[in-house]
Amino acid sequence: MRKTGLALACTLWAVVAPATGAPVSVRDSFRIGTTGSSYCSAQPVSNDPALAGMFDSGYSVTCRDAALPVGKLYHLRAEGDPASRLAAARSREVRCGTAHAGTLEDLGTVEVIDCKLADADIDYRVYQFRRGRGFFSAEGLAGYESALELGLRSIVADRPVVGEVSIATTGAGDPAAFARVQAGTLDPTRALAEAYRRNNVGSYADAAEFFAAVGSAGDGPISRAEAVINEALQKSNLGRFAEADNLFSRAEGLVRGDPLDGRRLRNYRAMHLLNQGQSAEALKELDKPVPAFASAAAPGSGRSLEIDVATAKRLNSESNVGEQLGTSSDQLLPEEKAEILDGQALQLRGTSLRLGGDYAAATQSLQNADTKLQAVRGGRVASIAWMRAQIAGDLGAIAEQTGNPSEAERLYRDGVTILEVNYPGSAALLNARARLAGFLARSGQPAAAETMFRDIVHSQADANNLPPSFARVLRPYVDILLEKTGDATTTAEIFAASQLMMRPGLAQTQAVLARELSGGTDEASRLFRQAVTLTRQVERTRIALAHMQDLPHPSPQELVRMKALTADLDSASKSEVATQASLAGYPRYRAVSSGVLSLADLQKALRPGEAYYRMTIVDDNIYALLASPTSARAMKLGLTAKDLDDQVSSLRDTISTIEKGQQVTYAYDVALAHKLYTELFGPVDGDLKDVRHLIFEPDGGMLRMPPNPLVVDQASVDLYAARVKADPNADFDFTGIKWFGRDRDISTAVSPLSFVELRQAPPASGSKQYLGLGHNSLPAQGADAAQSAADRDCVLPLASWNRPISDRELHIAGDILSKIDAKGVQIVTGDAFTDTAIEARKDLDQYRIIHFATHGVVTAARPKCPTQPALLTSFGGSGSDGLLTFRDIFDLDLDADIVILSACDTAGKATALATQSAGLATGGDVALDGLVRAFVGAGGRLVVASHWAVPDDFNATQRLMTGIFTSPPGTPTVTALRVSEQKLMDDVNTSHPFYWSAFAAVGDGEIPIIRTKSQVAQKP
């Protein structure tokens, strides 16, 4: 039996909330925009000065990619003069003209007031409408007018009006950032309810932001322990297990004998272990004792309960008008919460026992859990509905495993029904439906399963906002489709479904760059880049402020720093929202991609002689798809993800490994390289014969190694074996081997959509050809003094700068390009090559090729230190640390066709710390998310980077790099790279893949290294 972990959620204490179809006036929030992937949200507010009575209501409007609310909605009693009240409230921020008549669908004539922000030349718009005793208003930044109009129509109709929001988005933000803005508009009690609701429906990243907002509120309705425990679980549900471990450890010291927090910690730690597939450890966690209620009344005893501070704050919050008026409360008692948590513990025990194969004990525990949960308020609690759906699913799995398919189907369907009633449209419902579809596929009902899976796939409007577990949801669907061999429609469906399994990181950054370049005008691109930069500035300022706020006893200096960061965050957020509003004037940026490219569109973008090979790994399964302009094939590969990772590690260990601090290269394993080729490309070997340019999208282990040094045929294996047998000293002679990359150009892609969008983007528009940077000066004594004493243990030793890479390759490339454009070439080396000088340059966007020949930093100085990917530079003046870091690079303003990183292991990954320091919320944990991503984010269309430490022996790297520039004008970069590699392959001294196969061209390798005269004439 296959054993997998479950992404489990926690509980929501409120009695069942209004259903999705309820009037907006009784909801905690409602969505504005019912179609498309762009949308906004309205959250109720209670502290707005325009609200004069208990029957007045106001909403804050938040939209994706906006760091602050963009507008407001009001439903006020018409008595008095509500229009004047609103005008007075907005007069501090905007300057308005005279009202004039306008028309809105459903409403007819409305009043429209055009305004400007008081401190910026940004349009602001007001809509006002009267009906009966109601006065309705919508106001906000004019760039979000479609959201304001839909919001106004929705509060008048008291239901979400069908329609599409058309707003400018950059794609640089992440869904969690949107949730963070939403959480910031709610009072703590509403935010807490929303946190639990989003957690229960499977929106874990969103839930984390709501819990963080509640936990940071000084008067929040929950304890710090509850906030930290919940935050830990969200990290676990997102697969960030190390962060979850740290948070659970912090929570231990905060529980302090609290019976509810003790139960939460026990349960959520068990969920954390289940998420990692450790069911036996989860059972041990569930066996741990929890604090008892020392003096509280038992349920039903009639004893009165003392109202503590948190309860008082909750009862005095805005969450329920009925409670404020003294009517019966629907809040759960502490003992009832404990009963739910204990019922959840039984459920988790049942899940753990099922995963361990003890079906009888699992069934008993799950049934006991169901009984216990239904005893609390008759089961009419939102979280109970969610847990009962989980219980039904687990019991269904047991029935299936024990040979009772009819009972299994009934139970799976029960779980779906419960969620359809209580959590329609949720990720939890999606997973329950997929679980049912998977059962149907396994039980001989493939047609029904396929229909259900297809509905799931096509219900996802935005592939960029899917939970990490979604890949597992789709795996059975792909398996069903693969049984229909040779069906073009089915292959296209597999291609679409597999794109819903994409990783964030570099693919998102490439898509953002392509979006920027598609603006059509310099002003549009400038505004877009400004919006992206401000988005990152908001994120990294927020992270810095959060770290300061976590200090248990901040010093006076740290308090001053916190105040400055708060002001910076407010300023950057306002600037970002204003820039986004201005960006709405460019229609191209209102169009939002779902993140999925059709197979037909990919094939249309491919040129004759090209093919796109895409790998997708789900759990231990590897899927592949090969597409050419006229055909496509999908397949499931025979090797597992672990097999792949082990084989790549073995090959890399023969190429370059570190032993006792020294880089060591062994004889390359030709036989293993052929075996891996056969497993990855053997099924399409015949289709590859006529492919001159392969666009390769790796996954798993192949993210750490280009496919170029794989061996195509058995004859090469036999040739090498015979050579070594004849002369054991010839084990480093690999001449005559038929390498996969010898006669075929290979580009590296990270998603079909970002590859096609970058291919369609205009070329660099700068007037200069080439900027070469490298050969750092030797550091002076004490050159690292710029780094703080707190970082002293993690400062790189000065010896790291003592062996600069030769600048000869820069000068050779510069000499060649000078013949084309003598004034458009610059070589910067020695004392001029400093981090601060590069960051200060304002002309970087004028160079189409930027070439670094320097050492890369990819490992930390010590194991305890964080890794910050960087390039070594010379030391400059004040503020220089001799490093161009991931964050520094992301902040550069490039407009480059090609960035060449002739340095060590520049195709590696970043760390979470490095990623966050650049203001990025996603990615960083896989290869290509390090320096490659940083240079793409800075504006590099194609990045040539290395997968391992490049060699100095035999001048191999210098020969390889300078050989690229000797190709005739118009030669694609990947072709120039391959031809240069061939010369090293054919030299016995450099025939080992260590010398020639480190570099990968990430992006569209068809970009020419040197433009022809006609290509220069065609550039914009």
PDB file of all heavy atoms in Angstrom, residues 513 517 763-765 844-850 893-899 935 938-942 1007:
ATOM      1  N   LEU A 513       9.609  39.669 -16.356  1.00  0.00           N
ATOM      2  CA  LEU A 513      10.470  40.381 -17.305  1.00  0.00           C
ATOM      3  C   LEU A 513       9.805  40.459 -18.674  1.00  0.00           C
ATOM      4  O   LEU A 513       9.792  41.524 -19.307  1.00  0.00           O
ATOM      5  CB  LEU A 513      11.824  39.692 -17.416  1.00  0.00           C
ATOM      6  CG  LEU A 513      12.776  40.273 -18.478  1.00  0.00           C
ATOM      7  CD1 LEU A 513      13.103  41.730 -18.184  1.00  0.00           C
ATOM      8  CD2 LEU A 513      14.055  39.439 -18.572  1.00  0.00           C
ATOM      9  N   LEU A 517       8.777  43.843 -20.804  1.00  0.00           N
ATOM     10  CA  LEU A 517       9.281  44.129 -22.140  1.00  0.00           C
ATOM     11  C   LEU A 517       8.169  44.257 -23.171  1.00  0.00           C
ATOM     12  O   LEU A 517       8.386  44.810 -24.251  1.00  0.00           O
ATOM     13  CB  LEU A 517      10.256  43.037 -22.575  1.00  0.00           C
ATOM     14  CG  LEU A 517      11.519  42.897 -21.717  1.00  0.00           C
ATOM     15  CD1 LEU A 517      12.327  41.688 -22.153  1.00  0.00           C
ATOM     16  CD2 LEU A 517      12.370  44.161 -21.786  1.00  0.00           C
ATOM     17  N   PRO A 763      14.097  42.661 -28.627  1.00  0.00           N
ATOM     18  CA  PRO A 763      15.498  42.562 -28.193  1.00  0.00           C
ATOM     19  C   PRO A 763      15.923  43.792 -27.414  1.00  0.00           C
ATOM     20  O   PRO A 763      15.196  44.787 -27.328  1.00  0.00           O
ATOM     21  CB  PRO A 763      16.256  42.437 -29.514  1.00  0.00           C
ATOM     22  CG  PRO A 763      15.379  43.122 -30.509  1.00  0.00           C
ATOM     23  CD  PRO A 763      13.970  42.844 -30.079  1.00  0.00           C
ATOM     24  N   ALA A 764      17.105  43.728 -26.834  1.00  0.00           N
ATOM     25  CA  ALA A 764      17.645  44.859 -26.073  1.00  0.00           C
ATOM     26  C   ALA A 764      17.707  46.091 -26.959  1.00  0.00           C
ATOM     27  O   ALA A 764      18.059  46.019 -28.142  1.00  0.00           O
ATOM     28  CB  ALA A 764      19.024  44.517 -25.540  1.00  0.00           C
ATOM     29  N   SER A 765      17.383  47.227 -26.396  1.00  0.00           N
ATOM     30  CA  SER A 765      17.319  48.459 -27.186  1.00  0.00           C
ATOM     31  C   SER A 765      18.502  49.379 -26.945  1.00  0.00           C
ATOM     32  O   SER A 765      18.567  50.464 -27.520  1.00  0.00           O
ATOM     33  CB  SER A 765      16.024  49.213 -26.853  1.00  0.00           C
ATOM     34  OG  SER A 765      15.961  49.528 -25.478  1.00  0.00           O
ATOM     35  N   LEU A 844      23.856  50.830 -17.271  1.00  0.00           N
ATOM     36  CA  LEU A 844      23.895  49.384 -17.468  1.00  0.00           C
ATOM     37  C   LEU A 844      22.863  48.923 -18.494  1.00  0.00           C
ATOM     38  O   LEU A 844      23.068  47.927 -19.192  1.00  0.00           O
ATOM     39  CB  LEU A 844      23.670  48.663 -16.139  1.00  0.00           C
ATOM     40  CG  LEU A 844      24.784  48.798 -15.092  1.00  0.00           C
ATOM     41  CD1 LEU A 844      24.362  48.113 -13.795  1.00  0.00           C
ATOM     42  CD2 LEU A 844      26.091  48.194 -15.600  1.00  0.00           C
ATOM     43  N   ASP A 845      21.740  49.645 -18.588  1.00  0.00           N
ATOM     44  CA  ASP A 845      20.693  49.236 -19.531  1.00  0.00           C
ATOM     45  C   ASP A 845      21.038  49.558 -20.980  1.00  0.00           C
ATOM     46  O   ASP A 845      20.248  49.273 -21.887  1.00  0.00           O
ATOM     47  CB  ASP A 845      19.352  49.870 -19.157  1.00  0.00           C
ATOM     48  CG  ASP A 845      19.387  51.387 -19.197  1.00  0.00           C
ATOM     49  OD1 ASP A 845      20.491  51.960 -19.261  1.00  0.00           O
ATOM     50  OD2 ASP A 845      18.304  52.002 -19.170  1.00  0.00           O
ATOM     51  N   GLN A 846      22.216  50.118 -21.226  1.00  0.00           N
ATOM     52  CA  GLN A 846      22.635  50.441 -22.585  1.00  0.00           C
ATOM     53  C   GLN A 846      23.445  49.313 -23.231  1.00  0.00           C
ATOM     54  O   GLN A 846      23.738  49.371 -24.419  1.00  0.00           O
ATOM     55  CB  GLN A 846      23.468  51.732 -22.589  1.00  0.00           C
ATOM     56  CG  GLN A 846      22.668  52.974 -22.209  1.00  0.00           C
ATOM     57  CD  GLN A 846      21.495  53.171 -23.153  1.00  0.00           C
ATOM     58  OE1 GLN A 846      21.668  53.279 -24.372  1.00  0.00           O
ATOM     59  NE2 GLN A 846      20.288  53.219 -22.591  1.00  0.00           N
ATOM     60  N   TYR A 847      23.807  48.280 -22.475  1.00  0.00           N
ATOM     61  CA  TYR A 847      24.661  47.207 -22.982  1.00  0.00           C
ATOM     62  C   TYR A 847      23.835  45.953 -23.257  1.00  0.00           C
ATOM     63  O   TYR A 847      23.115  45.474 -22.373  1.00  0.00           O
ATOM     64  CB  TYR A 847      25.764  46.882 -21.982  1.00  0.00           C
ATOM     65  CG  TYR A 847      26.778  47.993 -21.832  1.00  0.00           C
ATOM     66  CD1 TYR A 847      26.630  48.971 -20.857  1.00  0.00           C
ATOM     67  CD2 TYR A 847      27.881  48.060 -22.687  1.00  0.00           C
ATOM     68  CE1 TYR A 847      27.553  50.001 -20.715  1.00  0.00           C
ATOM     69  CE2 TYR A 847      28.816  49.082 -22.546  1.00  0.00           C
ATOM     70  CZ  TYR A 847      28.645  50.051 -21.573  1.00  0.00           C
ATOM     71  OH  TYR A 847      29.567  51.065 -21.452  1.00  0.00           O
ATOM     72  N   ARG A 848      23.968  45.406 -24.470  1.00  0.00           N
ATOM     73  CA  ARG A 848      23.203  44.197 -24.808  1.00  0.00           C
ATOM     74  C   ARG A 848      23.883  42.924 -24.314  1.00  0.00           C
ATOM     75  O   ARG A 848      23.228  41.906 -24.127  1.00  0.00           O
ATOM     76  CB  ARG A 848      22.912  44.108 -26.300  1.00  0.00           C
ATOM     77  CG  ARG A 848      24.091  43.883 -27.216  1.00  0.00           C
ATOM     78  CD  ARG A 848      23.604  43.590 -28.649  1.00  0.00           C
ATOM     79  NE  ARG A 848      22.804  42.383 -28.722  1.00  0.00           N
ATOM     80  CZ  ARG A 848      23.301  41.181 -28.999  1.00  0.00           C
ATOM     81  NH1 ARG A 848      24.594  41.008 -29.217  1.00  0.00           N
ATOM     82  NH2 ARG A 848      22.510  40.128 -29.057  1.00  0.00           N
ATOM     83  N   ILE A 849      25.200  42.936 -24.100  1.00  0.00           N
ATOM     84  CA  ILE A 849      25.906  41.787 -23.526  1.00  0.00           C
ATOM     85  C   ILE A 849      26.643  42.268 -22.280  1.00  0.00           C
ATOM     86  O   ILE A 849      27.405  43.232 -22.333  1.00  0.00           O
ATOM     87  CB  ILE A 849      26.920  41.175 -24.510  1.00  0.00           C
ATOM     88  CG1 ILE A 849      26.237  40.705 -25.791  1.00  0.00           C
ATOM     89  CG2 ILE A 849      27.655  40.005 -23.850  1.00  0.00           C
ATOM     90  CD1 ILE A 849      27.207  40.210 -26.847  1.00  0.00           C
ATOM     91  N   ILE A 850      26.410  41.585 -21.170  1.00  0.00           N
ATOM     92  CA  ILE A 850      27.143  41.864 -19.930  1.00  0.00           C
ATOM     93  C   ILE A 850      27.826  40.566 -19.515  1.00  0.00           C
ATOM     94  O   ILE A 850      27.173  39.525 -19.362  1.00  0.00           O
ATOM     95  CB  ILE A 850      26.215  42.400 -18.832  1.00  0.00           C
ATOM     96  CG1 ILE A 850      25.617  43.739 -19.279  1.00  0.00           C
ATOM     97  CG2 ILE A 850      26.953  42.545 -17.522  1.00  0.00           C
ATOM     98  CD1 ILE A 850      24.705  44.390 -18.279  1.00  0.00           C
ATOM     99  N   ASP A 893      19.581  47.713 -13.006  1.00  0.00           N
ATOM    100  CA  ASP A 893      18.641  48.025 -14.095  1.00  0.00           C
ATOM    101  C   ASP A 893      19.307  47.676 -15.421  1.00  0.00           C
ATOM    102  O   ASP A 893      20.051  48.468 -15.988  1.00  0.00           O
ATOM    103  CB  ASP A 893      18.268  49.513 -14.044  1.00  0.00           C
ATOM    104  CG  ASP A 893      17.208  49.876 -15.077  1.00  0.00           C
ATOM    105  OD1 ASP A 893      16.674  48.957 -15.734  1.00  0.00           O
ATOM    106  OD2 ASP A 893      16.920  51.075 -15.239  1.00  0.00           O
ATOM    107  N   LEU A 894      19.052  46.453 -15.907  1.00  0.00           N
ATOM    108  CA  LEU A 894      19.644  45.979 -17.151  1.00  0.00           C
ATOM    109  C   LEU A 894      18.599  45.939 -18.256  1.00  0.00           C
ATOM    110  O   LEU A 894      17.397  45.863 -18.000  1.00  0.00           O
ATOM    111  CB  LEU A 894      20.226  44.565 -16.982  1.00  0.00           C
ATOM    112  CG  LEU A 894      21.146  44.276 -15.802  1.00  0.00           C
ATOM    113  CD1 LEU A 894      21.635  42.824 -15.878  1.00  0.00           C
ATOM    114  CD2 LEU A 894      22.309  45.236 -15.761  1.00  0.00           C
ATOM    115  N   ASP A 895      19.065  45.961 -19.459  1.00  0.00           N
ATOM    116  CA  ASP A 895      18.242  45.663 -20.635  1.00  0.00           C
ATOM    117  C   ASP A 895      19.142  44.872 -21.571  1.00  0.00           C
ATOM    118  O   ASP A 895      19.554  45.343 -22.625  1.00  0.00           O
ATOM    119  CB  ASP A 895      17.731  46.942 -21.293  1.00  0.00           C
ATOM    120  CG  ASP A 895      16.845  46.655 -22.503  1.00  0.00           C
ATOM    121  OD1 ASP A 895      16.341  45.521 -22.613  1.00  0.00           O
ATOM    122  OD2 ASP A 895      16.673  47.551 -23.349  1.00  0.00           O
ATOM    123  N   ALA A 896      19.471  43.655 -21.152  1.00  0.00           N
ATOM    124  CA  ALA A 896      20.502  42.866 -21.822  1.00  0.00           C
ATOM    125  C   ALA A 896      19.898  41.695 -22.575  1.00  0.00           C
ATOM    126  O   ALA A 896      19.003  41.014 -22.064  1.00  0.00           O
ATOM    127  CB  ALA A 896      21.524  42.353 -20.797  1.00  0.00           C
ATOM    128  N   ASP A 897      20.414  41.455 -23.779  1.00  0.00           N
ATOM    129  CA  ASP A 897      20.064  40.226 -24.484  1.00  0.00           C
ATOM    130  C   ASP A 897      20.716  39.036 -23.810  1.00  0.00           C
ATOM    131  O   ASP A 897      20.104  37.974 -23.677  1.00  0.00           O
ATOM    132  CB  ASP A 897      20.541  40.298 -25.940  1.00  0.00           C
ATOM    133  CG  ASP A 897      19.602  41.092 -26.835  1.00  0.00           C
ATOM    134  OD1 ASP A 897      18.415  41.213 -26.483  1.00  0.00           O
ATOM    135  OD2 ASP A 897      20.057  41.597 -27.873  1.00  0.00           O
ATOM    136  N   ILE A 898      21.976  39.200 -23.394  1.00  0.00           N
ATOM    137  CA  ILE A 898      22.757  38.077 -22.878  1.00  0.00           C
ATOM    138  C   ILE A 898      23.551  38.516 -21.652  1.00  0.00           C
ATOM    139  O   ILE A 898      24.201  39.572 -21.669  1.00  0.00           O
ATOM    140  CB  ILE A 898      23.737  37.550 -23.951  1.00  0.00           C
ATOM    141  CG1 ILE A 898      22.983  37.184 -25.232  1.00  0.00           C
ATOM    142  CG2 ILE A 898      24.532  36.360 -23.435  1.00  0.00           C
ATOM    143  CD1 ILE A 898      23.884  37.036 -26.438  1.00  0.00           C
ATOM    144  N   VAL A 899      23.508  37.709 -20.614  1.00  0.00           N
ATOM    145  CA  VAL A 899      24.379  37.871 -19.446  1.00  0.00           C
ATOM    146  C   VAL A 899      25.209  36.594 -19.346  1.00  0.00           C
ATOM    147  O   VAL A 899      24.655  35.489 -19.307  1.00  0.00           O
ATOM    148  CB  VAL A 899      23.590  38.093 -18.155  1.00  0.00           C
ATOM    149  CG1 VAL A 899      24.532  38.151 -16.958  1.00  0.00           C
ATOM    150  CG2 VAL A 899      22.750  39.368 -18.232  1.00  0.00           C
ATOM    151  N   PHE A 935      19.791  37.802 -12.151  1.00  0.00           N
ATOM    152  CA  PHE A 935      20.105  38.536 -13.376  1.00  0.00           C
ATOM    153  C   PHE A 935      18.892  38.624 -14.308  1.00  0.00           C
ATOM    154  O   PHE A 935      18.745  39.614 -15.036  1.00  0.00           O
ATOM    155  CB  PHE A 935      21.307  37.904 -14.087  1.00  0.00           C
ATOM    156  CG  PHE A 935      22.621  38.409 -13.555  1.00  0.00           C
ATOM    157  CD1 PHE A 935      23.400  37.611 -12.734  1.00  0.00           C
ATOM    158  CD2 PHE A 935      23.067  39.684 -13.855  1.00  0.00           C
ATOM    159  CE1 PHE A 935      24.604  38.084 -12.223  1.00  0.00           C
ATOM    160  CE2 PHE A 935      24.265  40.165 -13.357  1.00  0.00           C
ATOM    161  CZ  PHE A 935      25.045  39.367 -12.537  1.00  0.00           C
ATOM    162  N   ALA A 938      16.943  41.413 -12.957  1.00  0.00           N
ATOM    163  CA  ALA A 938      17.564  42.704 -13.261  1.00  0.00           C
ATOM    164  C   ALA A 938      17.315  43.125 -14.698  1.00  0.00           C
ATOM    165  O   ALA A 938      17.432  44.314 -15.015  1.00  0.00           O
ATOM    166  CB  ALA A 938      19.068  42.625 -12.998  1.00  0.00           C
ATOM    167  N   GLY A 939      16.978  42.160 -15.572  1.00  0.00           N
ATOM    168  CA  GLY A 939      16.689  42.509 -16.962  1.00  0.00           C
ATOM    169  C   GLY A 939      17.473  41.729 -17.989  1.00  0.00           C
ATOM    170  O   GLY A 939      17.631  42.201 -19.125  1.00  0.00           O
ATOM    171  N   GLY A 940      17.945  40.529 -17.656  1.00  0.00           N
ATOM    172  CA  GLY A 940      18.684  39.702 -18.597  1.00  0.00           C
ATOM    173  C   GLY A 940      17.785  38.671 -19.257  1.00  0.00           C
ATOM    174  O   GLY A 940      17.186  37.849 -18.573  1.00  0.00           O
ATOM    175  N   ARG A 941      17.680  38.713 -20.594  1.00  0.00           N
ATOM    176  CA  ARG A 941      16.806  37.773 -21.290  1.00  0.00           C
ATOM    177  C   ARG A 941      17.373  36.355 -21.302  1.00  0.00           C
ATOM    178  O   ARG A 941      16.645  35.388 -21.126  1.00  0.00           O
ATOM    179  CB  ARG A 941      16.587  38.259 -22.729  1.00  0.00           C
ATOM    180  CG  ARG A 941      15.782  39.565 -22.829  1.00  0.00           C
ATOM    181  CD  ARG A 941      16.003  40.215 -24.189  1.00  0.00           C
ATOM    182  NE  ARG A 941      15.214  41.427 -24.370  1.00  0.00           N
ATOM    183  CZ  ARG A 941      15.521  42.613 -23.830  1.00  0.00           C
ATOM    184  NH1 ARG A 941      16.601  42.731 -23.056  1.00  0.00           N
ATOM    185  NH2 ARG A 941      14.766  43.664 -24.049  1.00  0.00           N
ATOM    186  N   LEU A 942      18.668  36.224 -21.572  1.00  0.00           N
ATOM    187  CA  LEU A 942      19.339  34.930 -21.641  1.00  0.00           C
ATOM    188  C   LEU A 942      20.538  34.975 -20.705  1.00  0.00           C
ATOM    189  O   LEU A 942      21.346  35.903 -20.788  1.00  0.00           O
ATOM    190  CB  LEU A 942      19.800  34.637 -23.074  1.00  0.00           C
ATOM    191  CG  LEU A 942      20.631  33.367 -23.295  1.00  0.00           C
ATOM    192  CD1 LEU A 942      19.781  32.122 -23.046  1.00  0.00           C
ATOM    193  CD2 LEU A 942      21.197  33.335 -24.714  1.00  0.00           C
ATOM    194  N   ILE A1007      18.948  33.604 -29.293  1.00  0.00           N
ATOM    195  CA  ILE A1007      19.400  35.000 -29.330  1.00  0.00           C
ATOM    196  C   ILE A1007      20.837  35.020 -29.847  1.00  0.00           C
ATOM    197  O   ILE A1007      21.702  34.302 -29.329  1.00  0.00           O
ATOM    198  CB  ILE A1007      19.334  35.634 -27.931  1.00  0.00           C
ATOM    199  CG1 ILE A1007      17.875  35.744 -27.464  1.00  0.00           C
ATOM    200  CG2 ILE A1007      20.000  37.010 -27.911  1.00  0.00           C
ATOM    201  CD1 ILE A1007      17.720  36.242 -26.043  1.00  0.00           C
TER     202      ILE A1007
END
